[in-house]
Amino acid sequence: MAGTTGKTLNLKLRIWRQSGPDKEGSFVDYEAKNISTDASFLEMLDVINVELVKKGEDPIEFDHDCREGICGSCSMVINGSPHGPDRGTATCQLHMRRFQDGQTVVVEPFRAKAFPLVKDLAVDRSSFDRIIQSGGYISVNTGNAPDANSLPVPKENADMAFAAATCIGCGACVAACKNASASLFVSAKLAHLALLPQGQAERDQRTLKMVAQMDEEGFGACTNTGACSAACPKEISLENIARMNRDYAKATLKDRKTSV
Amino acid sequence: MSIKLESNTPEGPIEQKWDSHRFSMKLVNPANKRKYQVIVVGTGLAGASASASLAELGYNVKTFCIHDTPRRAHSIAAQGGINAAKNYPNDGDSIFRLFYDTVKGGDFRAREANVYRLAQISNLIIDQCVAQGVPFAREYGGLLDNRSFGGAQVSRTFYARGQTGQQLLLGAYSAMMRQVGLGKVKLFPRREMLDLVVVNGQARGITVRNLTTGEIESHAADAVLLATGGYGNVYFLSTNAMKSNVTAAWRCHKKGAAFANPCFTQIHPTCIPRSGDYQSKLTLMSESLRNDGRVWVPKNKGDSRPPQQIPEEDRDYYLERIYPSFGNLVPRDVASRQAKFRVDEGRGVGPTGEAVYLDFADSIRRLGQKAIEAKYGNLFQMYEKITGENPYEVPMRIFPAVHYTMGGLWVDYNLQSTIPGLHVLGEANFSDHGANRLGASALMQGLADGYFVIPYTLGNYLASQDLPKIDTDHSAFQESQNQVRARLDQFFSINGSKTADEFHRELGQLMWEYVGMSRTAEGLTQAQEKIAKVREEFWQNLKMTGQKDYRNDELEKAGRVADFLELGELMAKDGFDRKESCGGHFREDYQTPENEALRDDQNFCHVGAYEYLGQENNKITWQRHHEELSFEYVKLSTRSYK
Amino acid sequence: MTAKTSYLTSTIGQKQVVALSGLSLSLFVLAHMMGNLLIFVSPQAYNMYGHALVSTPLIYVAEAGLVLFFALHVFLAIRLTWLNRGARPQAYAVSAKGEKATHFVQKTLLAQGLVILVFVILHLITFKYGKVYWVTYDGVTVRDLHRLIIEVFSQPGYLTWYLVALVVLGLHLSHGVSSALQTFGAAHPQLTPLLKKIGLGYALIVSLGFISLPIYVYFIY
C-alpha cells in the first residue's frame, strides 16, 4: 500500500459506530496497518472499509464526495477537532503524513442537536438548507438582470464578499463551537450578500429571517470563542459574525414588524 | 422500434435561429403553468438553474439530488471560470468568435446552431449571475475582470479566484432555495434515480431510492429533466467526485434514449499524478496555471536529477517547441496527448515516471512570488497539501486525468432526448462541445441550458403535447418499482467475494489502457471483450454487505458500477466505430506524420448515437445511428495550433 | 415556514443584552476600582469618597441600574448557557488540542460568573451591610470604611478568597470586554486584534487595581 514516497504507518483507530439515529452508538477499535503516508484520511478509511466488507461486516459510513475540499461533505471530528488538526483543511485533504506511527486516532461524527445523526459518521445537515431558503438569496428572477457591468463594486468589497462566500457549508463551525452555534455559517452567507450593492434591498429582512431560522433550528448562541473560524476549512473570519450582530440590531430597530 | 435523430434545428441564418425559434414556439398560458408538474434530477449548475427558472415561471417543480444538500453537486469543484462574449476587455471578442472558437475547439463534431445559441446566451448568464450576487473577480475600478483561459486568444473568462464553479453553483442554489422557500420547488435530497417511467412513449416520472431510509419511491410528472452530469468515473480514477455516475442517464438510455458520442472523453492535462493503489480520485489543478507555468521534461531519458539541477539546455519545453504560436496554451486534448507521448518515450518524471513538470520559476522571477500567490495561491496550497511539496520552490508534477465527458444522451435543439418529455441538460447531454470541450465552457453550457434554454423549450413541449393526467398508481410505476427492487435484491443474492470498488478499479484500468488518451482498433476490440468479462464476473462474484432498507454506500456503489460496466463497453464500441481521430478521441491508426489527429470528414462528420436494443445473457446489442453535421459558418478545416 | 423574529428571544438579541449589561458592569468595576485606589491617598480621602457617593440621591438610581444590569446579565447568561448546552445533547469523547482548541477561560464563563455572583453577595454583606464604624472629619461624621477594610483584609482567609474572586473577575473580563464589543458588531481586520488587546488590558488593570488594595493592607499597612 506504499505511495510514491514509500513510507507507511500503522494507527489505532477508535471510530464511532451507530447504525441509526435511534440506535445505541459506541466506539469500536480498528487497526489501520501499512497505510501510505501519501494517502488521504478518507483513503485510509476506504482501506479499512474494504477489509470490513470482505469480512461481511457493515462498512463505516461517512459523507464524502469531491475529495478536494470544496463540496463540504466531510463531517467527522478527528481527535477532538472537526476536519482534524490542520487549519484551513477539510478531512479529505488531510493526509496521513500528518500522523505519527502508532498514534491513536479517535473519530466521531459532528455532534449537534441541529445535525441529527444518520449513521456512523454521517449526519443530517439540512438545517443549513432551511436557513438559506429562509432568506439567503437575492430575489432576482431569471432574465431580470441588468448588464453585469452596470453596477461597479469596489474591489475590496468584492474580495471580502468572495472571502465570505467561499464557505463550503460543511458545518465544522457548528461542530467546533462549544455551543454548537451556526453563527459563522449564517454570518458568512449574510456578509457575502451584505457587502454587495445587489444585496442591499433585502439586507434587513434577510438578516432577520436567517437569524430567526438559525435559532429555530436549535443551534446555540455565539460566545465569540473563535473555535469556529479555527476549524473552518476556508478560514472564514469572525468579522462576519460581528457584522451580522450589527446588522441584526440595525434591522431590528428599522423593522416595523419585529416584536421585542 | 427504431429511433430517429431529428435535430429540429430552426431554419434561417444562424444569428436568427434562436430568436425566430423563440417566437415560433408555443407558450403555456401563465395561469396554466401551475397545473404542470416537472421533475428535475440533479442540482448542479444545470439542474439548479433549471429548477429555479421553471419555478419562477410558475411550474411546480420536484427536484432530486443524490447529496444531503443540493449545494454539494460536483459543479462546485469547477475551478477556472466561465466564458462569455461580453468583449469587456475590447480585445476583439464577439458572439461569433466565441461560437467559432467553440466549434473549432470541438474539432467540428458539434451542432453549429446549438453552439451559436450558447455563445449568444453566454452574456445573459454573466448578467444573471452578477445580479444574484456571484462575487466575480473585479478590477480596481469596480468592474468585472476577465482572463484568458484554456487556449483562447481573447480574455473572455469571468472567474472567482479558483472557485468559480462554487460561486456559480451557490448562486443557482440560492435562486432555487428561494423557490423552495416559496413552495414552488419541492426538494428531495439524498435520492438516487434508478429508473425512468415511460407511459405511452412519454417520460412521465421516475423511480428513486431514498438513500437514507432505503425506501423506493415513485414520482409522476408531465416532463422529466435530467441534469445528472458526466460519466468520467467509468475510469475509476478521474477528477469527478466520488458519487458522480452514469446511472440516471443509463437507465434512460435503456428506456429508449439514444446515447451520443460516448467515446468523446476529455483528458485534462494538468492534474496531480496518482501516488498509489489506495488512490480514490485525482485532483485537478486549474488549467489557468498554464498561463504562467511552463511545461517541460528532461531531454534525456531517465534523467533522475532533481528538477532544479537540470540546466536549461537539458530541458525540453515541448509544447513551446512543437506549437510555437500557442505554446503552453494549446487545447486540453493536445496538451494531454503530448504529455502522454513524453511519458511513453521514457522521459516522464517523478517516482512513477508518469508525470511532467509545470514550472513557475520563470514567472516567479518575472512577476514576483506575491503576484503568483495572488493568482494561484489556493491552487498552490492545495498542491502542497496533497503532495507535501512546495510548488513555489519545486516545479509541480502534473499528468493528464479524465475530467469531462463530451458524450451523453442525445438531444435535439430543444434539449429533448429521443424519449418525448425527457430533456437532458448540462454535461449529461452531448450537445455543445463536439469532440473536445474548451476550458471555461462547461459552466457556461450548464447555466445556458438551465437558465435560458429549457424555460422556453419545455414550455413548447408542454403546450404542444397531449398529456393525460397520470399519477403514481399507474401500473407503469408499479412495474418500474418492481424492476428496481428486483435488481437491488439481486446484488444481495450474489454472495461473492469481490467488492464493487474492486470491479470498478478493474474496469477503470481497462478503460484507461484501451479507451484512454490514445486508442487503437485492436485495443478497442479487446476492451469490449474484457469489459464484458468483468461484467460477467460482477454478476457472479459481487460481495454485498449492509442493509437494503437503510443507508448503504456499498449498495449505491454496486448499482453505479453495474451501469458503468455496460457503458464502458459502449464507449469502447463507439471508439472502435469512429474510425478517425478528432478532439478527445485519438486513434493511433488515424494520425498525421506529425502525430496530430487526422479527422475523416468524409465519413465521420456526424454524431454517432446508440440505441439500446437489448441484452441476452451477457451480450448487449446496440444500433448505431447518425446525425449528419453540416458546417456552413465555420468551414471545416484542420485544427492547427502551430 | 418563516420563523418568527423577536429580538429578546433571539440568540443575538439576548447576547446583546448580556453584552450591554456586561459592558456597563465593566465600567462600574473600573470606577469602583479607581475609587478604591483612594486608600493610597489617605484614610480620610477614602472615607470621604464613600460618603460623597452615599450622600447623593443619584445613588439610588445607580444602584437600581446596577441591580437591573446584574440581574439581566446573570439571568440571560444562564438562559443562554442552558440553550447552548441543549444544542449539543451528546458531548465529544475527546476535546480539541492545539490551535483548534477552545480556551478554558471561554469554556468556563458560567462558572466564573457564578463565582463572581457569590462573591458580590458576600462582598455586599461584608462591606455595604457589614459592621459600621464612624469617624468625624472637620465636624462631619462619616462611615469609617477604611477601618472595616483594614480589619477584613487582615484575615488571611478572606484575603485569599478575595484574591481568587478577583482573578476570576479578571478572567471573566479578559474574554467579556472584547466579546461584548464583537457582539455589538465592532470588527475590522486591523481593529479586531486591537480589541482583543484592549479587552485583556482592561481586565488586567481592573483586577490588579482591585488586588493592590488588600495586598497593600495585608503586607504593607
Side-chain angles (χ1 to χ4, degrees):
Chain A
M1 279 297 170
T4 48
T5 54
K7 290 189 199 128
T8 62
L9 49 68
N10 301 319
L11 293 177
K12 291 189 178 64
L13 296 168
R14 300 201 70 202
I15 298 179
W16 185 262
R17 301 302 308 266
Q18 185 172 343
S19 60
D22 311 321
K23 308 280 169 52
E24 275 291 304
S26 64
F27 282 103
V28 179
D29 291 341
Y30 299 93
E31 300 269 330
K33 289 197 183 117
N34 290 321
I35 302 294
S36 165
T37 54
D38 291 327
S40 72
F41 196 84
L42 298 185
E43 285 167 346
M44 183 270 295
L45 289 181
D46 289 343
V47 172
I48 305 277
N49 271 346
V50 169
E51 288 166 19
L52 290 177
V53 173
K54 291 259 182 191
K55 282 192 275 182
E57 290 176 30
D58 233 5
I60 302 154
E61 299 273 350
F62 57 92
D63 277 323
H64 64 99
D65 195 30
C66 77
R67 297 207 174 186
E68 50 188 87
I70 195 76
C71 75
S73 294
C74 314
S75 62
M76 52 187 93
V77 173
I78 300 163
N79 281 343
S81 297
H83 297 305
D86 291 349
R87 274 188 101 104
T89 304
T91 302
C92 57
Q93 295 170 297
L94 176 66
H95 280 67
M96 299 313 291
R97 63 180 80 90
R98 189 65 182 68
F99 294 86
Q100 265 116 45
D101 193 33
Q103 196 180 340
T104 301
V105 179
V106 182
V107 190
E108 302 173 73
F110 283 3
R111 295 205 186 277
K113 185 174 138 200
F115 290 170
L117 189 129
V118 175
K119 190 175 179 184
D120 299 338
L121 303 171
V123 297
D124 176 357
R125 285 165 284 188
S126 52
S127 45
F128 273 10
D129 285 327
R130 289 188 293 273
I131 293 174
I132 298 294
Q133 94 190 36
S134 72
Y137 45 76
I138 290 171
S139 298
V140 50
N141 283 359
T142 304
N144 277 350
D147 182 82
N149 257 351
S150 62
L151 202 57
V153 182
K155 183 170 165 52
E156 201 185 330
N157 285 6
D159 288 348
M160 282 201 294
F162 172 78
T166 56
C167 166
I168 56 175
C170 64
C173 46
V174 174
C177 175
K178 69 185 180 71
N179 306 338
S181 164
S183 293
L184 193 65
F185 168 79
V186 177
S187 68
K189 187 71 206 175
L190 285 169
H192 159 208
L193 300 177
L195 283 161
L196 296 172
Q198 302 91 303
Q200 298 313 310
E202 295 167 290
R203 182 171 177 171
D204 292 341
Q205 282 307 311
R206 181 185 307 121
T207 309
L208 293 173
K209 285 184 198 162
M210 287 179 72
V211 169
Q213 190 63 39
M214 165 178 89
D215 288 349
E216 174 109 350
E217 295 290 345
F219 292 103
C222 175
T223 306
N224 303 320
T225 68
C228 49
S229 188
C232 174
K234 296 294 160 196
E235 298 180 277
I236 287 176
S237 161
L238 281 187
E239 232 183 289
N240 295 309
I241 300 185
R243 187 179 290 101
M244 168 173 78
N245 292 338
R246 190 161 69 213
D247 278 7
Y248 185 73
K250 268 197 242 165
T252 304
L253 288 175
K254 285 200 259 172
D255 186 57
R256 294 189 196 103
K257 284 175 289 193
T258 317
S259 58
V260 176
Chain B
M1 177 179 79
S2 188
I3 55 173
K4 271 214 184 86
L5 303 179
E6 276 172 24
S7 75
N8 294 317
T9 305
E11 296 299 317
I14 198 158
E15 302 83 11
Q16 287 162 27
K17 280 182 198 286
W18 178 233
D19 281 349
S20 63
H21 189 54
R22 282 197 293 173
F23 179 70
S24 65
M25 279 188 291
K26 286 187 184 157
L27 298 174
V28 178
N29 174 322
N32 282 341
K33 288 199 178 97
R34 64 188 150 80
K35 294 180 186 156
Y36 288 107
Q37 179 72 57
V38 180
I39 281 176
V40 180
V41 187
T43 57
L45 288 179
S49 58
S51 301
S53 304
L54 292 170
E56 286 160 11
L57 288 173
Y59 295 109
N60 299 306
V61 181
K62 279 184 173 184
T63 301
F64 297 79
C65 73
I66 208 165
H67 298 90
D68 58 338
T69 153
R71 68 180 291 156
R72 307 213 198 284
H74 196 51
S75 302
I76 200 112
Q79 297 171 356
I82 177 167
N83 285 333
K86 285 278 194 186
N87 193 29
Y88 285 153
N90 195 30
D91 58 357
D93 202 8
S94 62
I95 288 173
F96 196 87
R97 187 177 294 281
L98 175 54
F99 156 69
Y100 176 91
D101 286 353
T102 308
V103 169
K104 184 182 164 211
D107 220 355
F108 301 92
R109 291 297 174 262
R111 203 184 282 143
E112 265 192 336
N114 280 56
V115 179
Y116 195 88
R117 175 177 66 188
L118 179 65
Q120 279 177 304
I121 288 173
S122 67
N123 292 341
L124 298 176
I125 297 172
I126 302 302
D127 299 342
Q128 183 63 29
C129 293
V130 167
Q132 286 169 346
V134 171
F136 283 123
R138 285 176 186 267
E139 311 259 19
Y140 282 98
L143 301 178
L144 293 159
D145 190 21
N146 288 118
R147 65 180 171 197
S148 150
F149 193 80
Q153 290 185 310
V154 290
S155 292
R156 62 160 74 103
T157 304
F158 294 78
Y159 65 101
R161 217 163 302 171
Q163 283 151 258
T164 318
Q166 180 198 28
Q167 295 309 316
L168 293 173
L169 182 64
L170 292 181
Y173 158 78
S174 67
M176 178 177 75
M177 292 312 285
R178 173 175 159 237
Q179 296 301 321
V180 173
L182 293 170
K184 289 305 287 182
V185 172
K186 199 160 164 14
L187 194 62
F188 294 86
R190 290 199 54 77
R191 303 298 203 286
E192 179 161 29
M193 172 177 163
L194 294 179
D195 199 15
L196 176 76
V197 180
V198 181
V199 180
N200 299 329
Q202 293 168 320
R204 294 306 300 267
I206 59 175
T207 306
V208 299
R209 179 167 181 268
N210 181 324
L211 299 180
T212 301
T213 65
E215 219 171 307
I216 307 296
E217 305 167 358
S218 292
H219 296 272
D222 297 296
V224 176
L225 273 49
L226 209 64
T228 50
Y231 49 86
N233 266 348
V234 67
Y235 290 84
F236 188 72
L237 286 181
S238 79
T239 65
N240 285 7
M242 304 302 285
K243 288 186 206 301
S244 302
N245 69 79
V246 78
T247 289
W250 199 250
R251 304 281 107 204
C252 295
H253 173 54
K254 292 179 95 168
K255 282 281 169 90
F259 207 108
N261 296 339
C263 77
F264 287 168
T265 313
Q266 179 160 81
I267 317 270
H268 195 290
T270 52
C271 299
I272 300 177
R274 55 180 242 130
S275 67
D277 297 333
Y278 48 80
Q279 189 118 17
S280 56
K281 77 153 273 162
L282 296 168
T283 303
L284 173 82
M285 299 306 293
S286 168
E287 183 160 36
S288 60
L289 291 170
R290 285 200 278 146
N291 286 341
D292 287 299
R294 298 178 71 194
V295 179
W296 64 275
V297 290
K299 276 190 180 153
N300 307 316
K301 280 184 199 174
D303 190 338
S304 58
R305 287 176 289 180
Q308 305 96 309
Q309 288 174 22
I310 300 180
E312 280 298 311
E313 63 269 22
D314 288 347
R315 298 179 177 194
D316 178 12
Y317 294 93
Y318 57 91
L319 289 177
E320 296 169 23
R321 171 172 58 83
I322 305 171
Y323 306 102
S325 73
F326 276 71
N328 294 298
L329 294 175
V330 290
R332 291 175 175 179
D333 54 333
V334 178
S336 294
R337 208 146 47 233
Q338 289 297 342
K340 180 187 156 51
F341 291 157
R342 299 295 89 74
V343 166
D344 290 349
E345 285 164 12
R347 297 201 281 146
V349 300
T352 57
E354 286 199 348
V356 299
Y357 289 125
L358 180 62
D359 198 334
F360 291 87
D362 278 353
S363 297
I364 291 175
R365 227 169 291 137
R366 189 162 38 95
L367 306 166
Q369 180 160 333
K370 271 250 155 66
I372 295 296
E373 203 176 321
K375 274 187 176 168
Y376 311 114
N378 61 332
L379 297 171
F380 276 46
Q381 201 184 12
M382 184 157 88
Y383 182 84
E384 190 171 358
K385 267 179 199 158
I386 293 173
T387 62
E389 287 178 358
N390 179 354
Y392 292 104
E393 285 161 13
V394 188
M396 284 185 180
R397 281 175 293 113
I398 53 159
F399 198 60
V402 174
H403 180 53
Y404 186 90
T405 49
M406 281 74 68
L409 293 181
W410 182 90
V411 290
D412 67 4
Y413 187 75
N414 298 317
L415 303 183
Q416 181 169 259
S417 72
T418 50
I419 301 174
L422 175 68
H423 295 71
V424 190
L425 287 67
E427 191 181 348
N429 74 26
F430 87 105
S431 69
D432 296 357
H433 306 297
N436 173 54
R437 179 176 66 75
L438 289 180
S441 284
L443 304 183
M444 172 172 69
Q445 186 224 338
L447 290 178
D449 289 357
Y451 282 135
F452 294 108
V453 179
I454 201 70
Y456 295 95
T457 60
L458 185 73
N460 183 48
Y461 170 78
L462 295 172
S464 54
Q465 289 287 316
D466 183 20
L467 291 160
K469 269 264 159 269
I470 280 181
D471 57 28
T472 52
D473 295 336
H474 192 281
S475 64
F477 284 91
Q478 265 318 309
E479 232 168 82
S480 168
Q481 278 212 11
N482 293 342
Q483 277 173 15
V484 164
R485 283 209 180 82
R487 189 172 140 101
L488 295 176
D489 289 338
Q490 210 181 339
F491 291 134
F492 281 95
S493 67
I494 298 170
N495 258 326
S497 64
K498 264 161 84 171
T499 66
D501 268 348
E502 287 174 296
F503 285 108
H504 195 178
R505 211 179 283 268
E506 257 176 69
L507 170 68
Q509 272 161 7
L510 290 174
M511 294 298 294
W512 184 243
E513 191 174 341
Y514 298 111
V515 201
M517 270 183 283
S518 182
R519 306 158 179 186
T520 63
E522 191 199 355
L524 291 161
T525 314
Q526 275 190 41
Q528 292 176 62
E529 291 162 13
K530 289 184 176 179
I531 292 166
K533 277 215 184 88
V534 178
R535 187 171 64 233
E536 191 169 16
E537 193 200 337
F538 175 89
W539 287 106
Q540 287 160 6
N541 195 23
L542 174 74
K543 174 90 187 169
M544 179 55 57
T545 56
Q547 299 154 274
K548 193 163 47 185
D549 52 0
Y550 197 59
R551 180 177 164 132
N552 186 343
D553 284 8
E554 277 303 300
L555 184 58
E556 293 173 30
K557 277 193 235 168
R560 294 167 198 160
V561 173
D563 289 332
F564 278 139
L565 283 165
E566 297 178 5
L567 166 74
E569 186 181 332
L570 181 64
M571 289 169 72
K573 178 177 163 50
D574 182 44
F576 179 83
D577 290 347
R578 186 171 279 279
K579 295 181 175 61
E580 64 161 353
S581 292
C582 61
H585 172 60
F586 185 78
R587 287 272 300 255
E588 288 174 23
D589 30 357
Y590 301 96
Q591 57 178 315
T592 66
E594 297 98 30
N595 305 115
E596 299 295 336
L598 189 63
R599 268 198 344 252
D600 178 356
D601 293 330
Q602 206 68 42
N603 298 304
F604 288 95
C605 192
H606 65 229
V607 177
Y610 292 82
E611 179 185 3
Y612 175 84
L613 295 179
Q615 179 169 5
E616 221 172 308
N617 297 322
N618 190 36
K619 188 169 167 44
I620 307 174
T621 37
W622 284 281
Q623 187 182 345
R624 192 173 200 270
H625 299 268
H626 299 170
E627 178 200 336
E628 291 302 327
L629 296 171
S630 61
F631 291 88
E632 294 168 46
Y633 295 87
V634 188
K635 286 281 158 273
L636 279 164
S637 62
T638 304
R639 285 196 309 172
S640 169
Y641 294 96
K642 305 217 162 180
Chain C
M1 207 185 59
T2 333
K4 218 171 138 263
T5 57
S6 141
Y7 185 74
L8 279 185
T9 55
S10 73
T11 47
I12 295 180
Q14 293 181 70
K15 281 292 304 177
Q16 289 180 338
V17 175
V18 172
L20 177 71
S21 53
L23 279 181
S24 312
L25 294 169
S26 306
L27 288 175
F28 164 74
V29 290
L30 180 69
H32 184 347
M33 182 275 288
M34 297 205 299
N36 280 8
L37 294 183
L38 286 171
I39 203 159
F40 295 108
V41 178
S42 69
Q44 184 179 353
Y46 186 79
N47 284 334
M48 287 309 287
Y49 166 68
H51 181 68
L53 282 185
V54 294
S55 308
T56 155
L58 278 176
I59 190 72
Y60 297 106
V61 182
E63 280 181 349
L66 276 177
V67 170
L68 177 72
F69 280 141
F70 203 78
L72 274 176
H73 193 77
V74 172
F75 170 70
L76 288 177
I78 290 177
R79 189 159 105 170
L80 281 170
T81 309
W82 185 258
L83 179 131
N84 293 340
R85 298 260 157 97
R88 173 160 301 127
Q90 184 164 7
Y92 291 112
V94 184
S95 50
K97 284 169 206 71
E99 54 179 356
K100 287 193 179 180
T102 305
H103 200 280
F104 87 95
V105 170
Q106 297 168 326
K107 282 198 222 166
T108 52
L109 286 167
L110 184 72
Q112 294 159 20
L114 292 176
V115 170
I116 295 166
L117 175 63
V118 171
F119 171 76
V120 167
I121 293 167
L122 293 177
H123 187 76
L124 288 175
I125 293 171
T126 312
F127 293 105
K128 188 171 169 69
Y129 303 108
K131 240 184 230 167
V132 180
Y133 300 107
W134 298 98
V135 65
T136 308
Y137 300 111
D138 305 328
V140 185
T141 303
V142 301
R143 190 175 168 191
D144 190 356
L145 270 170
H146 184 262
R147 184 175 158 193
L148 179 62
I149 281 175
I150 305 292
E151 255 181 45
V152 170
F153 285 132
S154 301
Q155 307 163 29
Y158 194 90
L159 176 79
T160 313
W161 157 239
Y162 188 88
L163 292 184
V164 168
L166 265 296
V167 168
V168 170
L169 176 67
L171 294 178
H172 205 66
L173 288 174
S174 73
H175 171 80
V177 173
S178 62
S179 172
L181 294 171
Q182 160 100 359
T183 298
F184 281 118
H188 189 270
Q190 275 89 46
L191 204 66
T192 307
L194 200 65
L195 283 183
K196 280 238 138 97
K197 286 191 188 129
I198 291 172
L200 281 176
Y202 194 93
L204 212 61
I205 290 169
V206 168
S207 51
L208 287 182
F210 273 121
I211 286 170
S212 67
L213 187 147
I215 296 283
Y216 165 73
V217 168
Y218 190 81
F219 292 103
I220 299 164
Y221 186 76

